[in-house]
Amino acid sequence: MATNKRRRHTPDQIIRKLAEGNKLLGTGQQLSEVCRHLEITESTWHRWVAQYGGMKASDAKRLKELEAENARLKKLVANQALDIDMLKEISSETSDPEPQAQRRGDAARAVRGLRTACAVVGIHRSTMRLQPPPISDEEAHRAWLRAFSTQRPRWGWRRAAIAARRAGWKVNNKRIRRLWREEGLRVPQRRRKKRLTGIGAQVGAMCPIRPNAIWAMDFQFDTTADGRTLKMLNVIDEFTREALAIEVDRAINADGVVDVLTVWP
């Protein structure tokens, strides 16, 4: 008993068999006889007609290339979506005390392979195999830094590093800075004293307590349309904030200032 062996046809073979089958059907043969001659089933014939009917060999080849390109683009988009999800997973893990490079690699490896994951996050594969040396005296360093910050609240991590080495600790600045930040230690900022202003405000020995007690003067300059300079002398009372005099001239020397001030009692 003969059995039909399944085999895969290329687009060119499908086009040729469809053309041959159409010729046989044109001579009056039945579809079952044509399919038996072409060594295919009737369902395969109908599927080929629906997919390649009326096409030339070049059109079928182009369609096959487009399908392959579409499959390749879908794969690229899927890989890119995985990379984006992986990077989001990495960026969300910021509170883990584990080293950052190894933490990123572990999160990436959970989604993709080790080689691809390391390429995406930008680290070498040997970094994933690197085990940091154990730090046995880190808790003692943290306790010492907390005590140091309590005793010296105005000193920062740089002075703490110097004091730690003087105390016998074998540490560098990077480690002290990391522990200082992880413990949340910081130098309190000095509050700037707000200058008191207004009538009767205590601003020192030169405090205006009544009118005509303290005058203040200042010069201002401007330019006219012809490019010449104007000089203005302004005199105000510090207590009432009243403008006592505004003298405008091309030039005002010391004698002019004295003349303006002597007008007022």
Side-chain angles (χ1 to χ4, degrees):
M1 181 176 178
T3 58
N4 293 331
K5 186 177 181 181
R6 294 176 59 87
R7 64 174 182 173
R8 187 179 298 274
H9 294 79
T10 63
D12 294 339
Q13 293 174 347
I14 294 174
I15 295 297
R16 285 197 298 268
K17 286 196 174 185
L18 286 177
E20 183 180 357
N22 289 327
K23 289 181 181 180
L24 294 176
L25 290 174
T27 59
Q29 294 187 18
Q30 298 294 327
L31 179 60
S32 58
E33 297 176 356
V34 173
C35 292
R36 190 179 304 111
H37 174 73
L38 298 176
E39 297 181 350
I40 60 175
T41 62
E42 294 186 12
S43 61
T44 303
W45 170 267
H46 292 299
R47 179 166 53 84
W48 284 359
V49 170
Q51 187 174 2
Y52 297 98
M55 284 189 180
K56 297 181 180 180
S58 59
D59 297 336
K61 184 177 180 181
R62 178 59 180 166
L63 178 62
K64 206 68 176 179
E65 292 176 353
L66 290 176
E67 290 178 352
E69 181 70 14
N70 188 24
R72 188 180 68 85
L73 292 177
K74 285 183 178 179
K75 185 177 180 181
L76 289 177
V77 171
N79 291 336
Q80 187 177 12
L82 286 176
D83 294 342
I84 293 174
D85 293 340
M86 178 173 53
L87 293 175
K88 288 181 179 179
E89 181 71 19
I90 294 170
S91 61
S92 63
E93 298 182 0
T94 56
S95 60
D96 193 352
E98 190 178 0
Q100 184 178 6
Q102 190 170 5
R103 184 174 65 250
R104 290 188 304 173
D106 291 339
R109 187 167 50 181
V111 182
R112 306 288 297 276
L114 178 61
R115 184 186 297 272
T116 306
C118 292
V120 170
V121 299
I123 60 176
H124 199 272
R125 282 180 293 165
S126 61
T127 306
M128 295 300 303
R129 306 185 186 97
L130 181 63
Q131 297 295 332
I135 303 177
S136 58
D137 54 351
E138 186 166 298
E139 291 300 327
H141 285 169
R142 293 177 184 271
W144 186 89
L145 286 176
R146 289 193 295 267
F148 177 84
S149 178
T150 303
Q151 297 173 1
R152 301 286 187 176
R154 302 300 309 174
W155 286 15
W157 66 268
R158 291 181 176 85
R159 289 190 174 182
I162 297 174
R165 285 190 288 269
R166 289 178 179 175
W169 297 99
K170 294 183 179 180
V171 290
N172 55 13
N173 289 352
K174 292 182 179 180
R175 186 173 181 183
I176 292 295
R177 184 183 183 185
R178 176 178 61 84
L179 296 178
W180 186 273
R181 289 188 173 183
E182 290 178 358
E183 289 297 318
L185 304 176
R186 57 186 305 176
V187 177
Q189 295 183 355
R190 294 182 182 272
R191 292 187 177 182
R192 299 182 61 181
K193 294 183 179 180
K194 187 176 180 181
R195 183 178 180 182
L196 300 177
T197 58
I199 299 176
Q202 299 294 330
V203 293
M206 301 297 291
C207 175
I209 58 176
R210 57 182 175 80
N212 294 326
I214 299 177
W215 289 357
M217 65 178 184
D218 193 12
F219 288 100
Q220 288 181 311
F221 296 88
D222 202 350
T223 306
T224 56
D226 57 357
R228 301 176 63 188
T229 303
L230 283 178
K231 190 173 184 180
M232 291 170 281
L233 171 62
N234 303 311
V235 182
I236 65 171
D237 191 313
E238 286 289 340
F239 185 82
T240 62
R241 311 302 295 176
E242 177 186 0
L244 303 178
I246 301 178
E247 183 71 16
V248 181
D249 202 344
R250 294 294 180 183
I252 302 176
N253 53 16
D255 294 334
V257 174
V258 172
D259 294 340
V260 172
L261 295 179
T262 54
V263 174
W264 296 88

